Amino acid sequence: MSEFDLINQFFKATAVKRDDVILGIGDDCAILSPPPGKQLAVSTDTLISGVHFPQSTTAEDIGYKSLAVNLSDLAAMGAEPAWVSLAISLPQANDAWLKKFMCGFNELAKQYNLSLIGGDTTQGHLSVTINITGFIDSEKALKRSSAKVGDSIFVTGNIGDAAIGLKAVFNRLDTTGDFSEKNKHHCINRLNRPSPRVNAGRLLSDFSVAAIDVSDGLMADLNHICEASGVGALLSLQQIPLSDAALNYYNNKPDWQSVLSGGDDYELCFTCADNQYAEIQALMELNDIDITCIGKVIEDAGIKCLYGNQLITLNPSGYNHFK
Ligand code: ADP
Ligand code: MG
């Protein structure tokens, strides 16, 4: 199949249609019509085989995850997803592979009414670069720099499952618990199919709070909020929300370093003032989103971790490509 047949069949024909896409795939540029009064939130993420996903990952999961991690960036700003472009480099034009890749990709694109408006298709090592655009009302973006001393720190969902999933994929599970196949599957699924917290981010955009998505590890990402806001954080390890699967894996004695620096969680971490909490909690509950308070914003720079009243020393670094 030629490059152009491939573009028509797998990208153009399957793209979600939106009225604000004046001209989609097929010309030199896409022409887009943003809603009057809205600002655009734009982000790019690359996923490279063997770096961002194990080489054994299925085409469907790669398609899903590539879009999920980009949607997670929009979620962290509180934006409404609208348009996406896809630059893909493939070792060969493999129809069956692309069909499955787009099946995973389109599962999320349809869920979020996200239109594929263009891209680039090249031959080379497998890598996927996505550029995503969303809408946001002016002054409503969830910036990393908005945390204030005295705020509480929250996360959505559970932390640490994907790090266990990664160990499972590489047969490096090391557990004293009776780790069931069901729990193992749960963790691998969290690694390959993260659920971007778009809804949570949009709900938070009505409050002026700081937020980030947890991609490189909770400590490293929370540290980005702290640095941008000129504050520090005091985390209470006992409050970090773990799934039943993670508790089973760690036999109720979590390896905090792994939980807090494992990455690939794609949950949101946000800070909010005490007088915002009740309203945020009520909204999240109404939308079936679990949030957990895990600590406080403090004046001293850096992140301190307490277990009870014992100070635990952990390495704050998360994943870093150039270490
Ligand atoms: P150009 O020669 O201008 O770079 P291409 O031949 O690369 O154009 O692409 C033709 C059309 O197909 C363009 O509209 C481009 O945006 C679209 N396209 C190419 N690859 C992809 C892809 N992976 N996903 C979505 N659209 C794509
Ligand atoms: Mg091109």
Side-chain angles (χ1 to χ4, degrees):
M1 193 182 284
S2 78
E3 178 188 331
F4 302 102
D5 291 339
L6 213 131
I7 290 170
N8 281 329
Q9 179 173 338
F10 294 108
F11 306 128
K12 189 170 182 176
T14 70
V16 169
K17 308 278 179 286
R18 288 176 60 111
D19 291 344
D20 53 13
V21 179
I22 311 305
L23 189 58
I25 294 170
D27 214 314
D28 294 310
C29 290
I31 305 292
L32 308 166
S33 183
K38 294 274 184 182
Q39 294 182 341
L40 303 181
V42 184
S43 173
T44 302
D45 258 322
T46 295
L47 285 87
I48 296 172
S49 178
V51 178
H52 298 93
F53 51 86
Q55 271 155 4
S56 62
T57 310
T58 65
E60 206 162 335
D61 285 346
I62 296 169
Y64 189 98
K65 186 168 181 173
S66 316
L67 194 48
V69 307
N70 277 273
L71 278 163
S72 182
D73 282 325
L74 286 187
M77 297 306 282
E80 174 194 348
W83 308 316
V84 62
S85 69
L86 167 66
I88 189 164
S89 160
L90 297 162
Q92 67 261 330
N94 179 332
D95 290 20
W97 191 95
L98 263 176
K99 189 169 175 200
K100 289 193 200 116
F101 174 89
M102 286 311 288
C103 186
F105 182 98
N106 280 324
E107 199 179 317
L108 275 177
K110 285 194 186 114
Q111 187 181 335
Y112 290 103
N113 190 29
L114 186 62
S115 187
L116 178 63
I117 49 101
D120 203 19
T121 308
T122 52
Q123 190 175 26
H125 291 299
L126 177 59
S127 98
V128 179
T129 296
I130 285 179
N131 179 279
I132 197 164
T133 301
F135 305 145
I136 192 145
D137 289 323
S138 70
E139 306 303 321
K140 282 203 169 178
L142 304 170
K143 297 202 207 101
R144 296 178 181 185
S145 54
S146 306
K148 290 173 207 71
V149 173
D151 283 357
S152 294
I153 303 166
F154 292 83
V155 284
T156 59
N158 294 316
I159 297 297
D161 288 343
I164 300 170
L166 192 64
K167 288 192 178 111
V169 168
F170 286 115
N171 285 317
R172 284 193 209 131
L173 288 173
D174 164 28
T175 177
T176 50
D178 174 23
F179 195 44
S180 70
E181 275 306 307
K182 181 168 155 267
N183 286 337
K184 181 171 152 185
H185 183 262
H186 167 87
C187 292
I188 294 177
N189 200 51
R190 291 267 289 152
L191 172 74
N192 290 334
R193 296 203 153 221
S195 304
R197 292 292 189 171
V198 174
N199 203 9
R202 294 197 62 200
L203 293 171
L204 287 172
S205 71
D206 278 332
F207 303 83
S208 106
V209 300
I212 193 165
D213 66 319
V214 183
S215 53
D216 295 332
L218 180 59
M219 273 186 90
D221 288 318
L222 176 58
N223 203 39
H224 293 317
I225 288 188
C226 291
E227 284 179 353
S229 302
V231 297
L234 185 62
L235 283 187
S236 173
L237 296 180
Q238 284 135 305
Q239 285 166 242
I240 305 286
L242 300 180
S243 67
D244 290 343
L247 286 170
N248 175 211
Y249 178 75
Y250 291 120
N251 206 9
N252 291 313
K253 290 193 198 70
D255 166 4
W256 293 113
Q257 184 67 55
S258 176
V259 170
L260 296 184
S261 61
D264 265 344
D265 296 302
Y266 298 103
E267 297 294 344
L268 291 189
C269 174
F270 65 95
T271 70
C272 81
D274 288 348
N275 63 7
Q276 296 172 307
Y277 168 69
E279 208 182 333
I280 290 177
Q281 171 59 29
L283 264 177
M284 293 292 172
E285 219 171 290
L286 205 63
N287 286 275
D288 264 338
I289 301 165
D290 290 331
I291 59 170
T292 309
C293 178
I294 57 169
K296 278 270 180 198
V297 177
I298 58 173
E299 225 173 284
D300 285 354
I303 298 181
K304 294 187 179 65
C305 297
L306 284 179
Y307 192 86
N309 45 25
Q310 192 188 349
L311 204 57
I312 309 275
T313 308
L314 297 173
N315 177 354
S317 64
Y319 191 83
N320 181 338
H321 285 272
F322 295 105
K323 158 164 84 177

